[in-house]
Amino acid sequence: VTEKLTLSDLKRQERDARRQLILDAAMELFSSRSISNVGIRDIAKKAGISPALIYRHFEDRDELFVEAFFKKNEEIITIFERMIEEKEDVTTEKIGESFVRFLMDNDDFFQMMTHFMLDSVMRDDAIEQFNHNMRRLLAGFDSAFESSGISEEVRLHSHAFFASLNGVMITFRSYPGRSEEEIRKHILHLTRFISLKFMK
Amino acid sequence: VTEKLTLSDLKRQERDARRQLILDAAMELFSSRSISNVGIRDIAKKAGISPALIYRHFEDRDELFVEAFFKKNEEIITIFERMIEEKEDVTTEKIGESFVRFLMDNDDFFQMMTHFMLDSVMRDDAIEQFNHNMRRLLAGFDSAFESSGISEEVRLHSHAFFASLNGVMITFRSYPGRSEEEIRKHILHLTRFISLKFMK
DNA sequence: TGTACATCAGTGAACGCGCGTTCACTGATGTAC
DNA sequence: TGTACATCAGTGAACGCGCGTTCACTGATGTAC
C-alpha cells in the first residue's frame, strides 16, 4: 500500500510541476506585456505545449490568471515577513523602498495587481483570497509603522502609504520621453520623499 | 462670399456637433465599464447611429478614445484653474479633495487616465498631448503648494501628491465587500490624511 | 426654372481576424485477471 | 508472461463568437449652366 501511495504521490507531484510550468510561462509573458495582451496561445507557445493542454490544468483563462497572481503575491509577502523577522528596526523608508523595488523588478506582479484592482470581475472565492493577500501585505506595512514608533492609526497609515506607493508606480512607471534609468531614479526618489512625509 | 462662408461654417459646426455626440456617448459608457469593454458598436448604439458613421468622424477606435480623454481632461483643468484664480488661499487639502471628488464623480475620466497610464500604446502626437495635459494638471497642484507656503521642491511635492491620490483611488475604488458610501468615505478620509502629511 | 452632376451624411451587411475553448484522436503507461 | 481494458498526458484542427473596420449603396442637399 505504501508503494502505491508513493507512486500516486509522484504522479501528483508531476502534475503540480506541469501546472507550475504553465504558470511560470504566463508570468514571464506578463512581465513584458499587459495582461489583456497575453493569450492562451502565447502561454502555450512559451511553455512549449499545446493550447489544449492548458485546459487540462485550469478551468479557464481567469483561473490561470488568478492563480498566477496568488503565487507571485506569496513572494512579496515572504520577503516582507522575512524583513520583519530578521530586523527589529524596520522603518517605513526601508519597507517602502523594498516594496517599490519589488514592483519595479517584478513587472508581472505589478501588471496583475493593477489588473485585479481595476478590471477585475473575479469569482467570489477569488475575491476572498485576493483580500486575504492584500491584508497580509498591509500587515507588513503595519509592522513597519509600529517599529518606527507610530502607534496611533496604524492601519490608516498603512492604507495611505501602500496606496501612495502604488500610485507612484502607476503614474510614473511609463513616463514617456525618459529613460528607464531616469524613471527608476525618479520613482525611488518619490518613494523616499513620501516615506519621510509618513514618518513625520 | 460672406454668405458662402457662413454656410460652410454652419456645416462645420454641425459636423463638430455630431463629433461631440459620439464622444459624449463614449464617455457615458466609460463611466460604467472599463474602456476595454466598450466597443464601437456600443458607442454607436448609445449615440443612436450606425457603427460605420463613427469612421466618418474618427480615423479609428484609438483616436476616438484619446480625444474623449482630452476633452474630459479639459474639464478638471478648468476646475483647477478657476479654483486657483478665485481664491488666493488654495490649500493642498482643498485641491486634493476636489481632485479626488472629481475622480469619484467622473468615473469615465478615471477609467481613461488609468487606461492611458497603464496600457497605452499611443501615437507620438497623442503622447505629446497627454503629457501636456498632465503637466497642466500638475501645475494646479504646484499653485496649491505654493499658496500653502511650501516654496521648496514644489514640483516634487506635486508629483508625489498627485501620484498618491491616484493610488488611493486605484487601490480602494472597488474594495470588495464595502458599500459605495463606505468606500467614498474611506477614500476621502485617506485623502485628507495624506493632504495633512504633505502640509507638514 | 429645370436638369445633370457632385458631395456627403448615413446605413446594414459583410469581411477578416484573433481568441477562448472544445473535439476527436493518438500513444504511452498502468491495472486486473 | 500475456492479454484486454482503463487512464490520462498531449495534440492539431476546428468551432463559435465578438469585434474593428470596410463595402456598396441610398437619399438628401447643394452647385453649375
Side-chain angles (χ1 to χ4, degrees):
Chain A
V1 185
T2 335
E3 173 72 345
K4 213 174 176 181
L5 258 177
T6 312
L7 273 178
S8 82
D9 277 1
L10 271 175
K11 271 252 165 124
R12 246 195 52 196
Q13 277 175 28
E14 267 178 50
R15 212 187 134 74
D16 284 355
R18 259 174 248 117
R19 205 181 159 89
Q20 291 306 325
L21 268 174
I22 296 170
L23 288 175
D24 289 341
M27 288 192 290
E28 216 168 310
L29 290 168
F30 293 160
S31 53
S32 58
R33 291 185 239 171
S34 79
I35 294 208
S36 52
N37 287 323
V38 174
I40 292 291
R41 281 174 183 80
D42 301 321
I43 298 171
K45 201 174 174 187
K46 192 88 183 176
I49 58 175
S50 141
L53 185 55
I54 290 177
Y55 290 88
R56 303 242 173 228
H57 292 272
F58 300 92
E59 183 99 14
D60 55 23
R61 192 172 172 262
D62 280 351
E63 192 189 292
L64 196 165
F65 285 6
V66 169
E67 199 148 325
F69 174 67
F70 291 157
K71 197 193 165 192
K72 199 80 196 183
N73 198 44
E74 216 55 43
E75 285 182 33
I76 176 68
I77 286 174
T78 308
I79 291 175
F80 270 22
E81 286 173 350
R82 208 164 287 164
M83 271 183 73
I84 292 156
E85 275 171 32
E86 281 178 8
K87 310 178 196 173
E88 286 290 311
D89 62 332
V90 181
T91 59
T92 46
E93 210 179 342
K94 276 180 197 160
I95 208 148
E97 186 173 330
S98 8
F99 180 60
V100 166
R101 276 191 195 279
F102 184 82
L103 290 184
M104 288 195 294
D105 294 336
N106 296 271
D107 227 40
D108 48 353
F109 179 70
F110 175 77
Q111 291 288 350
M112 290 189 281
M113 188 178 70
T114 52
H115 171 77
F116 287 124
M117 281 175 172
L118 290 170
D119 294 335
S120 179
V121 192
M122 286 191 272
R123 268 165 293 153
D124 286 356
D125 59 332
I127 289 180
E128 197 65 37
Q129 208 173 334
F130 179 79
N131 279 345
H132 179 68
N133 280 314
M134 288 294 114
R135 259 178 267 127
R136 282 176 67 198
L137 211 55
L138 284 167
F141 285 101
D142 285 354
S143 308
F145 280 115
E146 275 159 7
S147 78
S148 292
I150 285 164
S151 54
E152 279 170 22
E153 303 185 304
V154 173
R155 219 342 102 90
L156 193 63
H157 274 81
S158 298
H159 273 211
F161 190 49
F162 173 66
S164 297
L165 298 186
N166 282 339
V168 167
M169 278 298 294
I170 290 160
T171 309
F172 296 105
R173 199 183 63 106
S174 52
Y175 207 92
R178 295 206 193 171
S179 75
E180 210 176 312
E181 195 47 40
E182 284 171 318
I183 288 175
R184 268 186 93 89
K185 257 179 94 172
H186 189 52
I187 287 180
L188 284 171
H189 190 186
L190 286 169
T191 300
R192 254 172 262 124
F193 183 76
I194 291 174
S195 301
L196 291 177
K197 291 282 176 203
F198 272 80
M199 299 250 253
K200 76 165 162 189
Chain B
V1 185
T2 336
E3 171 72 340
K4 214 175 175 182
L5 258 176
T6 311
L7 275 178
S8 82
D9 276 0
L10 271 176
K11 270 252 167 123
R12 247 195 53 195
Q13 275 175 31
E14 267 179 50
R15 212 185 136 74
D16 284 356
R18 259 176 248 116
R19 206 180 159 87
Q20 291 307 323
L21 267 174
I22 295 170
L23 288 174
D24 289 342
M27 290 193 287
E28 216 168 309
L29 290 169
F30 293 160
S31 54
S32 58
R33 292 185 236 172
S34 78
I35 293 206
S36 52
N37 287 323
V38 174
I40 292 290
R41 280 174 184 76
D42 301 321
I43 298 170
K45 202 175 173 186
K46 193 88 182 177
I49 58 175
S50 143
L53 185 55
I54 290 177
Y55 289 88
R56 303 242 173 232
H57 291 272
F58 299 92
E59 181 100 12
D60 55 23
R61 192 171 171 263
D62 280 350
E63 191 189 292
L64 196 166
F65 285 6
V66 168
E67 199 148 326
F69 174 68
F70 291 157
K71 196 192 167 194
K72 199 81 197 186
N73 198 46
E74 215 57 42
E75 286 183 32
I76 175 69
I77 287 175
T78 308
I79 291 176
F80 270 21
E81 286 173 349
R82 208 165 287 164
M83 271 182 74
I84 293 157
E85 275 172 32
E86 282 178 6
K87 309 178 197 171
E88 286 292 309
D89 62 330
V90 181
T91 60
T92 47
E93 210 178 342
K94 277 181 196 159
I95 207 148
E97 186 172 331
S98 4
F99 181 60
V100 166
R101 277 192 195 279
F102 184 82
L103 289 184
M104 289 195 294
D105 295 336
N106 296 271
D107 227 40
D108 48 354
F109 179 71
F110 176 76
Q111 291 288 351
M112 290 189 280
M113 188 177 69
T114 53
H115 170 77
F116 288 123
M117 280 175 173
L118 290 170
D119 294 335
S120 181
V121 192
M122 287 192 272
R123 268 164 293 153
D124 286 356
D125 58 333
I127 290 180
E128 197 65 36
Q129 207 172 335
F130 179 80
N131 280 345
H132 179 69
N133 278 316
M134 287 295 114
R135 259 179 266 126
R136 281 177 69 197
L137 211 55
L138 284 167
F141 286 102
D142 284 354
S143 308
F145 279 115
E146 274 160 7
S147 78
S148 290
I150 285 164
S151 55
E152 278 170 24
E153 303 183 305
V154 173
R155 217 347 100 92
L156 193 64
H157 274 82
S158 297
H159 274 210
F161 190 48
F162 173 66
S164 296
L165 298 185
N166 282 339
V168 167
M169 278 298 293
I170 289 159
T171 309
F172 296 104
R173 199 184 63 103
S174 52
Y175 207 93
R178 296 208 191 167
S179 74
E180 207 175 315
E181 195 46 39
E182 284 171 319
I183 288 175
R184 270 186 90 90
K185 255 181 95 173
H186 190 52
I187 286 180
L188 284 171
H189 191 185
L190 286 170
T191 301
R192 254 171 262 124
F193 183 75
I194 290 175
S195 302
L196 291 176
K197 290 281 176 203
F198 272 79
M199 300 249 253
K200 71 165 163 190

